[in-house]
Amino acid sequence: MLNFLRDINIRELRENNLKLIFGLGALVYITFGILLHTGNVEYRDPVWLRMVILTVSLITLGFALYYKPARKHFINILFGILYLYNAHLYYLLFANNFDPNYKLALLIVTFASILFIQDKRLNLAYLIINLVTHAAILLATNSLSPENISVALLICTTLIIGYFTNSERIDAFRQIKDREAVLNAINNNVYHGIFRINGEDQIIYANENFAHMLGYRSVEEIYNVSRPFIFISQDAARHVNIMKREKKTIKNLEVEIQSNHKGPIWVLLSLTPFFNAKGNLTCYDGAIIDITDRKSAEKELTLFSAAIDHSTVCVAITDKQGCIRYVNPFFTQITGYTPDELFGTKIQQYLLPGDKGVEEMLISLKEDRFWKGEIKHYTKAGKLVTELVSIAPVRNKEGQITNYVIVAEDISKRKEAEEELLRAKEMAEMASKTQEQFLSMVSHELRTPMNAVIGLTNLLLEENPRPDQAENLKILRFSANNLLALINDILDLSKIEAGKLDIAPKEFELNQVLSLIRQTHGIRAKQKNLELILQVSDSIPAVLIGDDFRLSQILNNLVSNAVKFTDQGKVQISVSGKKITDTYAELEFSVSDTGIGIPADKLPHIFEAFSPASMHTNRIYGGTGLGLAITRKLIELQGGSITVHSEAGKGTTFTFTIPYKVSTKKSLPRHQEVHDYSAFNSIRVLLVEDNRINQKVAVKFLKKWDAQVEIAENGQEAISKLQSDAFDLVLMDLQMPVMDGYEATRLIRSNPDLKHIPIIALTASAMSHEREKAFEAGVNDFICKPFVPSEFYGKIAQYTSGTRSQRKTA
Ligand code: ADP
């Protein structure tokens, strides 16, 4: 295609032609000027006519030069005018015996006129007019001298030659024009950018596509560029030099070139050089195709494939039938198969038939849906692996499925770890349950004999013993109580450490707790001649929500220590509000004494179980060395903290804070306070208890308080007794053979005849979850064994008050 261009350089031809036309045009005017103004010529032409013709000619020429599209027509008109003027000159010439020397000049003018008229028909018209005019003038002037005829014939011959020469030239020019138009149309419609660069490295031709590719607005802009695009890219320039040196063509070379203002673009470049006979480069033609999009797609593809190749998940691509077409290296690593072994085989053959995941997958694939789930399969080595697989269908433009992309992650290890964790959790739960059962059992087994010892001691003391016996009994009771405290502490500590000690919040009155503490420790303080002061800030709300039982335990520990380690002076309990709102009260408690104090070196370890300080003082004062360790843990369990400040010989202050919620109530109903054990007026109590000694202790107290007691050995017996006889109250042990207290309580509560009877649970176990379980079963209240007689009496009195007053009036 480009060879055609080599033969005809349309642009050059057009430019040269115009130059020639205007050059000769100028010559024509100069000739006229000479002819008309030398004065050698005699003619009668008026001056104004000559001036008009000259002016019109000049304006037409100027306009034609300036305005390109009109150029052709104006040139035709211009030379037409000159032609007519010529005829007029002939007339003058022949009529006046014009100097023959000027005939040659006239000949040139005429020839030039006819030569440069670019329209074939006009050319012919002018020719005919010229010839007719000549003949007419010759005849009219009657100047048919041999000389004039020969001049006329010469002019005619010249004109005819001029005409044919011009006609041929016009044909050739039109042909060129047509070919140029075709070529331009082709060039501008091809996808390629086409260009020609001459031997001086100047672009001499380019198509529109080329201009657009390189970011130019028009082809003309490119011709003005001093350094063609090709030399801006080092890579392309190097290949151009090779092409020139080795005289060979370049085909489809991928190079990055700089566009005008679109940044770098990637093109596919082809170059064909042309050399003259001497072997010098005349020009080279080139074509470029913009491949920037393809290049960036390739780049992306390279990135993607690198990501897939180095990924630690398995990736496979199958065709619609499930035949494997691609696997990534990790896929082969996991399965143990080589790509060659896998290609062409069906993915289904590697899956476990009947596997739940596989069946689900096949169903969703049948419905053309994306699927994600777990699949088990064997590797080449026979190892069973679990994978988390997702399968996505790939569709073509028409929406038909062409492939499947499979992404799988080996989760065998994670699965194993999960199963391991589950087993460990189950074992931990079992261990925790065993520990809980053990604690519950130990608590029960230790408290039951203690219950007997303390209960019987209390009974003996109530039966007016001799003074010497009373003294011994009191020592026995003191020791038994201490032993019980130690058992309670050890159980508490192990419960805390096992995470089994729960805080049970409920509404309570702080003043109740504090006055009970003062009562409990007041007697001992008085015995030691100590002042026991209680100071409570007025700002503290009356009813709080929290675990009052654990607060009492904390205060009991601290106050009993304070009284124990102080020989003179005072013990002060203070409570203030650190932060109080309508719903929240953070309280600060402090227990201070003027006792022996704690040496500075022992202070840091004071909250540890069996601390060095306790080892030292216990020998003198007695104690378990567990109280403060339990105290701190109990405070922390309730979201508070404790600090100590002490000076040996001067005294000690323990300060702790506990956050509580504030109840909207202003007071709580009072429990019956027991000061005198008035008779129960023969109320009927059913004591459900399997332990003989416990039965004996309870019966002794109940009878002493004038209650009628019936004993049931277990839950089942209790129910049959309740059905056959009427009772005012049930005292229910929880752990019993045959039927335990929980089951019996549930059955009683589900029986419409019995469900209103008050039940008080009696248990040697102090585990909080057992208390909750008992309340869930339906008990009204809870008493821990060994019971404190006053508490035992108080609770029975509370639940039988109505019955007693009825009996009294009866
Ligand atoms: P213990 O049952 O031995 O009192 P605690 O844990 O309650 O166990 O106390 C640990 C030790 O801390 C005590 O043995 C004693 O040495 C010291 N201690 C506790 N409270 C006081 C106090 N108010 N004054 C002096 N020392 C105290």
Side-chain angles (χ1 to χ4, degrees):
M1 179 171 56
L2 290 172
N3 289 346
F4 175 61
L5 267 178
R6 193 180 44 177
D7 298 336
I8 303 159
N9 187 328
I10 295 169
R11 201 167 145 255
E12 269 179 62
L13 192 74
R14 192 168 56 194
E15 273 183 7
N16 292 343
N17 233 348
L18 280 175
K19 275 183 213 156
L20 194 71
I21 288 167
F22 297 122
L24 285 174
L27 198 70
V28 167
Y29 284 101
I30 293 162
T31 316
F32 270 122
I34 297 164
L35 280 174
L36 299 174
H37 299 287
T38 48
N40 295 328
V41 184
E42 272 186 65
Y43 54 96
R44 286 178 294 236
D45 202 22
V47 175
W48 64 265
L49 180 66
R50 279 181 275 147
M51 291 319 289
V52 166
I53 291 171
L54 200 65
T55 312
V56 169
S57 305
L58 283 173
I59 290 170
T60 316
L61 183 68
F63 195 62
L65 282 174
Y66 178 75
Y67 185 64
K68 217 170 144 194
R71 204 177 281 166
K72 194 175 123 187
H73 298 295
F74 283 115
I75 287 171
N76 287 340
I77 296 162
L78 166 72
F79 285 105
I81 293 163
L82 291 181
Y83 224 45
L84 290 174
Y85 191 66
N86 244 0
H88 175 65
L89 286 180
Y90 285 134
Y91 168 75
L92 296 178
L93 174 74
F94 293 117
N96 299 325
N97 240 343
F98 202 79
D99 184 351
N101 289 333
Y102 294 104
K103 285 174 191 163
L104 191 64
L106 271 173
L107 204 67
I108 294 168
V109 172
T110 314
F111 185 71
S113 308
I114 210 153
L115 197 63
F116 294 109
I117 288 175
Q118 296 197 4
D119 191 293
K120 236 175 153 182
R121 276 167 302 173
L122 265 183
N123 215 6
L124 184 66
Y126 290 151
L127 173 75
I128 293 165
I129 292 167
N130 229 321
L131 294 179
V132 172
T133 320
H134 269 81
I137 290 169
L138 280 180
L139 290 172
T141 52
N142 200 19
S143 48
L144 293 170
S145 64
E147 190 195 359
N148 274 354
I149 288 172
S150 62
V151 169
L153 280 176
L154 186 67
I155 289 170
C156 287
T157 319
T158 314
L159 282 174
I160 288 163
I161 293 169
Y163 166 74
F164 284 108
T165 317
N166 194 26
S167 292
E168 231 174 70
R169 199 188 59 80
I170 288 170
D171 281 345
F173 191 66
R174 169 148 304 143
Q175 255 177 26
I176 291 168
K177 278 271 187 198
D178 289 349
R179 282 162 77 182
E180 185 185 347
V182 171
L183 201 67
N184 270 339
I186 293 171
N187 281 350
N188 291 332
N189 282 310
V190 290
Y191 179 68
H192 300 68
I194 295 167
F195 59 92
R196 165 172 281 201
I197 295 177
N198 66 13
E200 286 80 48
D201 289 333
Q202 285 297 318
I203 295 183
I204 53 170
Y205 173 78
N207 69 349
E208 280 171 16
N209 234 345
F210 180 84
H212 293 153
M213 265 186 219
L214 289 187
Y216 292 99
R217 277 189 299 273
S218 69
V219 175
E220 268 67 29
E221 259 184 64
I222 290 181
Y223 299 140
N224 300 327
V225 173
S226 59
R227 199 160 166 245
F229 74 100
I230 213 158
F231 300 105
I232 293 171
S233 150
Q234 275 189 359
D235 197 22
R238 193 167 53 83
H239 280 91
V240 170
N241 289 334
I242 295 173
M243 172 200 78
K244 286 180 183 173
R245 199 173 54 239
E246 297 178 9
K247 299 187 176 175
K248 63 173 191 186
T249 56
I250 288 172
K251 277 231 163 3
N252 298 337
L253 179 76
E254 284 182 9
V255 282
E256 198 181 26
I257 57 170
Q258 195 64 34
S259 72
N260 193 21
H261 44 242
K262 286 198 300 188
I265 58 167
W266 274 94
V267 295
L268 208 60
L269 173 73
S270 297
L271 292 172
T272 310
F274 299 104
F275 301 91
N276 60 17
K278 289 183 192 159
N280 296 328
L281 181 87
T282 53
C283 64
Y284 48 101
D285 293 332
I288 53 170
I289 298 173
D290 190 344
I291 53 163
T292 312
D293 289 347
R294 197 196 79 192
K295 270 282 179 191
S296 60
E298 264 177 26
K299 207 166 153 189
E300 259 176 45
L301 213 65
T302 316
L303 281 177
F304 283 141
S305 68
I308 290 174
D309 281 353
H310 296 102
S311 136
T312 50
V313 292
C314 301
V315 180
I317 298 173
T318 72
D319 62 15
K320 204 185 163 204
Q321 282 71 37
C323 287
I324 298 174
R325 296 280 169 240
Y326 168 84
V327 289
N328 73 338
F330 199 70
F331 191 100
T332 58
Q333 194 182 320
I334 289 291
T335 58
Y337 293 103
T338 64
D340 286 344
E341 285 172 321
L342 291 166
F343 288 158
T345 59
K346 283 205 168 182
I347 194 98
Q348 292 90 318
Q349 75 188 61
Y350 301 97
L351 306 175
L352 286 186
D355 180 67
K356 205 172 130 238
V358 173
E359 278 176 5
E360 269 178 33
M361 175 195 80
L362 291 175
I363 291 170
S364 66
L365 290 188
K366 232 178 231 156
E367 292 165 3
D368 290 353
R369 280 186 291 122
F370 168 86
W371 183 80
K372 188 171 184 179
E374 281 177 23
I375 279 182
K376 283 193 172 70
H377 68 88
Y378 285 104
T379 64
K380 192 180 177 186
K383 192 178 145 210
L384 188 68
V385 286
T386 312
E387 300 215 46
L388 183 66
V389 182
S390 59
I391 303 183
V394 181
R395 294 169 196 277
N396 61 13
K397 272 186 200 156
E398 287 76 44
Q400 291 153 338
I401 293 173
T402 54
N403 297 84
Y404 289 102
V405 173
I406 302 163
V407 179
E409 190 188 349
D410 184 1
I411 53 164
S412 311
K413 286 209 176 91
R414 198 203 299 168
K415 276 264 151 193
E416 273 169 31
E418 271 173 22
E419 277 161 23
E420 193 66 37
L421 213 68
L422 208 72
R423 272 199 295 278
K425 191 176 158 240
E426 277 166 11
M427 275 178 54
E429 275 170 5
M430 219 159 78
S432 155
K433 209 166 184 130
T434 316
Q435 194 175 6
E436 197 177 301
Q437 280 166 354
F438 174 75
L439 280 174
S440 166
M441 191 202 60
V442 168
S443 167
H444 188 262
E445 294 307 312
L446 288 175
R447 277 165 188 268
T448 307
M450 287 313 295
N451 186 22
V453 174
I454 295 170
L456 289 176
T457 312
N458 282 334
L459 259 181
L460 288 173
L461 274 168
E462 304 260 334
E463 286 172 352
N464 292 330
R466 286 197 321 264
D468 60 319
Q469 284 174 327
E471 187 62 24
N472 286 344
L473 283 172
K474 278 180 186 165
I475 295 170
L476 178 65
R477 185 168 67 176
F478 178 76
S479 305
N481 275 332
N482 267 355
L483 185 59
L484 186 66
L486 179 62
I487 292 168
N488 282 343
D489 279 358
I490 291 174
L491 285 173
D492 268 351
L493 203 65
S494 36
K495 271 190 278 177
I496 290 170
E497 263 150 27
K500 293 285 162 204
L501 194 133
D502 299 320
I503 296 301
K506 66 174 196 339
E507 287 177 328
F508 72 95
E509 282 181 54
L510 181 68
N511 278 337
Q512 289 275 323
V513 175
L514 295 173
S515 60
L516 215 72
I517 297 285
R518 187 161 54 180
Q519 257 177 45
T520 314
H521 300 280
I523 306 158
R524 180 91 183 105
K526 210 169 177 186
Q527 282 169 355
K528 290 184 82 177
N529 237 339
L530 298 174
E531 222 185 322
L532 182 62
I533 306 164
L534 178 62
Q535 209 174 51
V536 184
S537 156
D538 293 339
S539 64
I540 298 170
V543 184
L544 301 169
I545 300 169
D547 194 333
D548 57 335
F549 175 72
R550 296 299 171 190
L551 176 63
S552 303
Q553 200 179 342
I554 294 161
L555 286 170
N556 269 328
N557 264 336
L558 295 177
V559 177
S560 79
N561 275 350
V563 173
K564 187 163 74 174
F565 297 114
T566 307
D567 294 326
Q568 55 181 343
K570 59 175 185 180
V571 170
Q572 182 165 336
I573 307 164
S574 316
V575 191
S576 62
K578 218 177 158 194
K579 191 179 167 198
I580 292 182
T581 68
D582 287 350
T583 53
Y584 175 86
E586 190 178 347
L587 302 189
E588 186 173 273
F589 300 81
S590 78
V591 178
S592 59
D593 62 59
T594 53
I596 59 167
I598 304 162
D601 60 326
K602 309 251 161 51
L603 215 51
H605 308 285
I606 205 78
F607 293 109
E608 289 166 14
F610 311 113
S611 66
S614 69
M615 292 301 168
H616 173 70
T617 50
N618 284 357
R619 266 179 251 131
I620 311 159
Y621 294 90
T624 61
L626 291 174
L628 286 181
I630 293 168
T631 298
R632 185 176 70 172
K633 291 205 163 141
L634 286 176
I635 291 168
E636 285 171 357
L637 271 174
Q638 295 176 80
S641 60
I642 182 165
T643 55
V644 59
H645 179 80
S646 185
E647 236 177 280
K650 285 200 173 163
T652 307
T653 303
F654 284 94
T655 310
F656 68 93
T657 57
I658 295 181
Y660 289 105
K661 282 185 190 155
V662 174
S663 165
T664 46
K665 292 179 190 157
K666 294 287 164 246
S667 66
L668 294 174
R670 287 284 137 105
H671 287 290
Q672 226 160 340
E673 301 263 341
V674 185
H675 295 297
D676 67 317
Y677 299 121
S678 57
F680 279 144
N681 294 331
S682 304
I683 54 160
R684 287 181 58 78
V685 175
L686 179 65
L687 176 67
V688 193
E689 170 70 79
D690 62 320
N691 183 292
R692 288 287 150 85
I693 297 167
N694 284 349
Q695 286 174 5
K696 202 167 179 173
V697 174
V699 169
K700 282 236 169 192
F701 274 101
L702 289 166
K703 288 217 163 136
K704 195 165 152 281
W705 296 326
D706 193 21
Q708 287 182 32
V709 191
E710 185 78 26
I711 293 173
E713 295 277 337
N714 58 54
Q716 208 171 53
E717 210 180 303
I719 288 172
S720 61
K721 286 202 174 196
L722 281 169
Q723 279 168 341
S724 60
D725 222 337
F727 290 95
D728 299 314
L729 179 78
V730 180
L731 292 172
M732 180 79 79
D733 186 23
L734 292 176
Q735 279 155 333
M736 287 177 297
V738 187
M739 183 192 282
D740 65 18
Y742 304 109
E743 179 70 30
T745 306
R746 268 193 292 274
L747 288 174
I748 293 167
R749 290 290 178 242
S750 62
N751 185 325
D753 296 335
L754 305 174
K755 69 178 179 189
H756 297 297
I757 192 159
I759 305 174
I760 297 175
L762 266 180
T763 178
S765 163
M767 305 291 281
S768 68
H769 73 275
E770 294 197 354
R771 184 193 288 249
E772 278 162 30
K773 221 169 120 186
F775 279 111
E776 265 169 35
V779 304
N780 299 68
D781 218 322
F782 198 94
I783 298 174
C784 265
K785 289 184 289 187
F787 51 75
V788 179
S790 62
E791 192 197 0
F792 189 44
Y793 180 91
K795 293 225 162 149
I796 295 171
Q798 185 187 339
Y799 290 99
T800 56
S801 60
T803 331
R804 279 185 292 138
S805 53
Q806 274 171 25
R807 275 177 214 271
K808 246 185 203 167
T809 44

